[in-house]
Amino acid sequence: MLLNRRIIVGVCGGIASYKAIDLVSKLQQAGALVDVIITENAEEFVRPLTFATLSHRPVFGDLWEPSGEAAETHIALAENAELLVIVPATANTIARLAHGMADNMLTTVALATRAPVLIAPAMHSHMYTHPATQANLALLRERGVTVLEPAVGKLASGETGIGRLPDTATLLGAIQQVLGQHGDLAGRRVVISAGGTHEAIDPVRYVGNHSSGKMGYTLATEARDRGAHVILVSGPVALPVPYGVELCSVETALQMRDAVYHFITDADVLIMSAAVADFRPAQVAAHKIKKSGNEVTGQHEDGELAIHLVQNPDILAELAASLNGVAGSRPVPPLKRRLIRVGFAAETQNLVEHAQEKLRRKQLDLLVANDVSRDDSGFGTDTNKVLIFHADDAMEDLPVMPKTGVAAAIWDRVVPLLAV
Ligand code: CTP
């Protein structure tokens, strides 16, 4: 996504200036072509040499270089850029931008560029919440500038409040979202389920599975980077929520069904990558089940404990039945538009037969199948080896790829279906 993208990082002078170093380093590692513009005040905190070394490109500072080249440079920089990101943006630079001033290299480039502008304000909370700063930010937002809300936490002054620069992962997420805002999923709403569900046995134990949620979270990030509004219905996982994605956390299959039904009413795509538990304990013990037995389980003196399981609803199958008006099926709220439905199949044997059967039974547009018994595929891995089955019986056998590549391949196949 960031490979060969031309990004200008403007660095203003604040205590958070040093965090721009990490951002530039990460952007460069991701293959972006980063031009850094540093203000005179920023040079009090960080050195141009640091940025030049990390970006492998010259750093721009003074608008009035004796060579006179800078006068041309700022226009060339402004015209070539695909994005101008200002990290950190100080109250002073925000005020200058709001009033169209062009008194240093950064503000001049900001005025000259037609690329999208993203700013990450960072300052003491009194300066951030001051009506002057808020009015300037409102003006910039009105003009199409994307303003990243600062984080709340410990400030340089030692106090706690709003004004911290968000972490590098958040900055990178925001950059990718802005770069992808006009992508091939722009204006689309997509719902993605991810992770496994937990079905409670008692207050401390559950029936679960090995799903890490990585595939679903990667699909969500990829959709965001192509301009979609993403709703991630996630079971309990240990992954950070991608910036810009709307999260709906659920625990059980029944909660996941309710959330999916709620969000699909105005969605264009539903991808069910979650490993939904097919069964749940018939009864959830109100108190921790003791080894010695209790009123729910009875005495288990023989050293055994039997948990009676009942079947969970099959979310995709129920949805298909409901959309077909099958008598007795659980009604779905009316859908505003045609919903592209994509399922996953995690198999350990007879993959092709099981996948084809699931595609038909759940009436899917696409089914992505993987053999979870392979080392390079399935739960917890960073790579996946999948087969993609289409509604017209076509089958594609994809090579082992990072999950990011699999996510891109899936969206590449969903996009043409949206145009039908
Ligand atoms: N799925 C679902 N609701 C369930 C179980 C699964 O919507 N209760 C969805 C999954 O999210 C996935 C697809 O159906 O997209 C296939 O899931 P999988 O677990 O492979 O298959 P099952 O239908 O559960 O069939 P089986 O357990 O017999 O393999």
Side-chain angles (χ1 to χ4, degrees):
M1 183 329 138
L2 291 166
L3 187 66
N4 293 331
R5 305 303 293 264
R6 297 181 307 278
I7 301 172
I8 301 176
V9 177
V11 185
C12 303
I15 194 64
S17 305
Y18 76 95
K19 294 185 184 170
I21 296 171
D22 188 38
L23 176 69
V24 169
S25 167
K26 296 276 179 353
L27 286 171
Q28 199 279 333
Q29 284 168 31
L33 307 173
V34 189
D35 286 310
V36 176
I37 303 177
I38 183 165
T39 65
E40 209 179 317
N41 288 340
E43 285 196 39
E44 301 292 332
F45 293 90
V46 281
R47 305 289 304 143
L49 180 64
T50 316
F51 290 108
T53 310
L54 289 170
S55 67
H56 303 180
R57 296 161 78 85
V59 168
F60 303 92
D62 194 353
L63 192 55
W64 310 118
E65 274 175 15
S67 66
E69 274 175 23
E72 300 309 317
T73 306
H74 73 264
I75 297 298
L77 268 179
E79 282 178 356
N80 278 331
E82 290 177 80
L83 174 72
L84 167 62
V85 48
I86 305 182
V87 175
T90 53
N92 183 32
T93 292
I94 289 167
R96 290 178 193 203
L97 293 173
H99 295 280
M101 289 170 73
D103 56 353
N104 63 16
M105 188 64 144
L106 180 56
T107 50
T108 307
V109 168
L111 210 54
T113 192
R114 292 295 170 264
V117 178
L118 169 68
I119 64 171
M123 63 199 76
H124 188 273
S125 43
H126 289 170
M127 294 172 76
Y128 180 70
T129 55
H130 193 284
T133 304
Q134 287 303 310
N136 289 333
L137 287 171
L139 202 58
L140 290 172
R141 279 197 188 95
E142 252 171 57
R143 292 190 201 133
V145 170
T146 305
V147 179
L148 193 58
E149 180 87 347
V152 175
K154 255 263 181 290
L155 303 170
S157 62
E159 295 158 87
T160 298
I162 189 163
R164 278 176 67 86
L165 189 72
D167 60 22
T168 307
T170 304
L171 295 170
L172 286 169
I175 288 171
Q176 290 179 200
Q177 186 178 38
V178 175
L179 280 171
Q181 62 192 343
H182 302 300
D184 53 11
L185 288 172
R188 303 292 187 176
R189 286 176 74 84
V190 307
V191 178
I192 300 166
S193 73
T197 60
H198 286 186
E199 311 295 331
I201 298 170
D202 68 14
V204 295
R205 305 181 181 95
Y206 58 82
V207 179
N209 57 62
H210 288 302
S211 174
S212 65
K214 277 184 188 165
M215 193 63 241
Y217 276 59
T218 310
L219 279 161
T221 306
E222 176 72 16
R224 176 203 67 190
D225 293 351
R226 291 172 173 229
H229 177 91
V230 185
I231 298 141
L232 187 58
V233 178
S234 176
V237 296
L239 295 173
V241 184
Y243 172 81
V245 162
E246 188 180 334
L247 178 75
C248 172
S249 294
V250 296
E251 211 167 297
T252 66
L254 291 174
Q255 289 169 355
M256 185 167 276
R257 176 184 65 183
D258 289 348
V260 166
Y261 271 34
H262 172 74
F263 288 113
I264 55 172
T265 52
D266 57 355
D268 300 278
V269 184
L270 167 65
I271 301 190
M272 286 289 299
S273 71
V276 187
D278 288 326
F279 296 93
R280 67 178 184 277
Q283 247 186 315
V284 182
H287 298 287
K288 186 182 171 197
I289 298 172
K290 306 301 280 180
K291 267 204 289 293
S292 54
N294 61 21
E295 73 283 0
V296 175
T297 57
Q299 296 299 318
H300 28 266
E301 284 151 11
D302 51 2
E304 289 183 10
L305 169 66
I307 297 171
H308 183 63
L309 301 175
V310 291
Q311 204 162 349
N312 268 328
D314 185 316
I315 302 170
L316 281 175
E318 264 194 0
L319 187 58
S322 179
L323 292 175
N324 284 334
V326 173
S329 58
R330 193 172 196 275
V332 202
L335 303 185
K336 293 204 179 116
R337 51 192 89 112
R338 178 171 123 72
L339 181 71
I340 305 292
R341 283 167 283 154
V342 181
F344 271 73
E347 306 292 347
T348 55
Q349 57 179 353
N350 303 333
L351 186 137
V352 174
E353 298 79 58
H354 284 145
Q356 284 169 336
E357 185 275 325
K358 281 179 195 173
L359 177 83
R360 272 193 291 276
R361 181 161 49 88
K362 305 194 186 200
Q363 295 180 9
L364 302 171
D365 296 278
L366 293 172
L367 184 124
V368 184
N370 62 350
D371 180 346
V372 288
S373 62
R374 290 172 62 115
D375 287 345
D376 54 11
S377 217
F379 300 134
T381 60
D382 287 327
T383 56
N384 229 352
K385 161 90 188 76
V386 302
L387 288 98
I388 299 186
F389 296 81
H390 295 247
D392 64 1
D393 281 343
M395 182 189 97
E396 296 177 84
D397 189 353
L398 271 54
V400 178
M401 285 194 263
K403 283 185 174 168
T404 46
V406 176
I410 294 169
W411 287 116
D412 284 346
R413 282 147 187 84
V414 169
V415 167
L417 298 175
L418 288 166
V420 177

